[in-house]
Amino acid sequence: MAPMTAQRWIIHLPTKLTSADEAAALAVTLRDSLGHVPVIDFGETTLSEEDSQFVRTRVWCDARLDGAGRCGHLNDHDGPCAA
């Protein structure tokens, strides 16, 4: 039997922003300013419209890189993945 892992919690942070681009830009700003906080998993950040919260769009690619963590580019980026 696999060991049990602790349940993770999600903080839903509503905004007054009216476009996905603005919301993604806020996510980038939050990652830039709070990226040093080890308990925040910015790679898993998603966006949703207020009335469609179960339809989520990833902000970052977050693909695994060989020995270098995960891709830090925006989702659907052009070119190769990079930290």
Side-chain angles (χ1 to χ4, degrees):
M1 182 192 274
M4 301 237 355
T5 58
Q7 182 66 34
R8 293 178 9 158
W9 287 87
I10 306 296
I11 297 172
H12 301 277
L13 182 64
T15 71
K16 295 180 179 183
L17 301 171
T18 58
S19 79
D21 289 341
E22 290 174 334
L26 177 59
V28 169
T29 299
L30 291 171
R31 181 183 69 174
D32 290 349
S33 64
L34 296 172
H36 66 280
V37 179
V39 297
I40 302 174
D41 185 358
F42 282 101
E44 294 293 326
T45 302
T46 58
L47 305 174
S48 66
E49 292 181 0
E50 183 176 22
D51 294 332
S52 301
Q53 293 185 30
F54 292 106
V55 179
R56 296 180 178 211
T57 302
R58 293 182 72 74
V59 175
W60 287 282
C61 173
D62 205 38
R64 291 186 187 273
L65 302 174
D66 292 334
R70 293 182 176 270
C71 180
H73 291 306
L74 292 175
N75 200 36
D76 298 327
H77 62 86
D78 291 330
C81 289

